Amino acid sequence: MSATQVINPATEEVLRTVELLDEAAVDDAVARAVAAQRRWARLAPAERAAGLRAFAATVDAHIGELAALEVANSGHPVAQAEWEAGHVRDVLTYYAASPERLSGKQIPVAGGLDVTFHEPLGVIGVITPWNFPMTIAAWGFAPALAAGNAVLLKPAEWTPLTSIRLGQLAVEAGLDPDLFQVLPGAGAVVGERFVTHPDVRKVVFTGSTRVGTRVMAGAAAQVKRVTLELGGKSANIVFDDCDLERAAATAPYGVFDNAGQDCCARSRILVQRTVYDRFMELLEPAVKGVVVGDPTARDTEMGPLVSKPHWESVAAYVPDDAPVAFRGSAPTGPGYWFAPTVLTPGRTDRAVTEEIFGPVVAVLPFEDEADAVALANATSYGLSGSIWTDNVSRALRVSRAVEAGNLSVNSHSSVRYTTPFGGFKQSGLGRELGPDAPLSFTETKNVFFAVEEL
């Protein structure tokens, strides 16, 4: 086995060293998870529900600790990190209601009785990204456990600390230690073994489209189920009939949240040409007003990028001759800081077509509704987006025409655990969250009982 150093991105200091598991350790974890899943599935639905509620209560008792870990490991502002820890608790609480409501059907047929059951798949492998480590993990493990499965979670190498702690809290809450296991390791080792191991019946992957295609191709060899939440290049469409002041004031938070390290970031702002100049006048003070700094400070709105390699990747999109309209501010000195940056490139510029995953946004004018829709859809991605208009008919037309899985009208909301989340095109496959999420971790079994006629 090897090890990796976990770095605080705001200070560049080493937080701790984390051991990375090898393939043999993964195989051992899978074997133990297979046995634990059978024990878990045999429990009464009410007992499984109680176990998830206990897990949620234990998370709730450690909100501050989890938030502090995320601040240190990921550079998330403390207020955001506290919300994220509370979100994990809420997702667990929501899916704790599922075991007692996972109902099949009785289907009318001739000659007997026909019923369906939702059987758990078995062992689920969840591979999470570094941008929202504990929240995205919960989207996978909570509904999977609720459906009667065991879960193996591989956190991103850069940001494993909150996931490791969640695994410990599950045991403290009374769950079987082998039921929910966190396995830190390299993607090419642990993640790859999730894909190839025959007893891992489904892989849930959140990350880049490039890696997601490899996961999907590998899973095909065993006809293994996958849920993929991949990249994005979402559009924030601003029509001339909207509340322009509000659209401009909120636009920075639609893209610079989590330093732009968000698959749902509205990293293309499309503005109707008739109000383009006025919008840019309003956008500049809003961008410069974003508070970038120490993530432990309560008033901080944006922290650093996650790592030096990622900082270099983002910086490559803003060379010295980039069409920078204006920038916000960021600290100097240690830390992977990058100021919020607004570009005004051409429609084919790589800053418009590629996912930057940082606090860089491109603003482009459009002529009319048809042009706005065409420009919004001129991408291989289709995850999220916003539409700003006071015309209800236009809002409905455009929301139906834009090829994206999660749209928001006159706001930038994308993810609620009570509603489904996922992408079109190369932004992914399948849906997470919402009331039906546990069903995606089950197989439907149909059973016919012949009835003898009197």
Side-chain angles (χ1 to χ4, degrees), residues 359-446:
V360 180
V361 65
V363 186
L364 301 99
F366 67 84
E367 303 302 329
D368 53 22
E369 185 176 314
D371 189 35
V373 170
L375 183 55
N377 288 340
T379 173
S380 59
Y381 299 113
L383 186 57
S384 192
S386 297
I387 301 161
W388 288 82
T389 176
D390 285 345
N391 184 317
V392 175
S393 294
R394 168 177 279 167
L396 184 57
R397 286 194 306 269
V398 175
S399 63
R400 295 301 300 272
V402 172
E403 298 168 341
N406 308 271
L407 293 168
S408 183
V409 176
N410 295 331
S411 74
H412 298 300
S413 175
S414 293
V415 183
R416 293 179 175 85
Y417 57 83
T418 53
T419 59
F421 175 74
F424 283 27
K425 300 188 287 188
Q426 291 188 30
S427 282
L429 183 68
R431 291 295 179 269
E432 297 180 288
L433 302 176
D436 297 332
L439 293 177
S440 69
F441 296 99
T442 67
E443 291 277 27
T444 299
K445 178 180 289 182
N446 190 79

Side-chain angles (χ1 to χ4, degrees), residues 9-10 74-75 258-261 303-308 310-312 314-315 335-338 357-359:
S74 302
N258 200 30
Q261 299 167 132
L305 293 172
V306 70
S307 70
K308 182 64 173 177
H310 188 58
W311 185 95
E312 292 169 347
V314 172
Y336 311 123
W337 305 101
F338 201 101
F357 223 62

Side-chain angles (χ1 to χ4, degrees), residues 170-189:
V171 177
E172 291 180 25
L175 293 185
D176 187 322
D178 295 332
L179 183 68
F180 173 47
Q181 301 176 58
V182 179
L183 309 179
V189 179

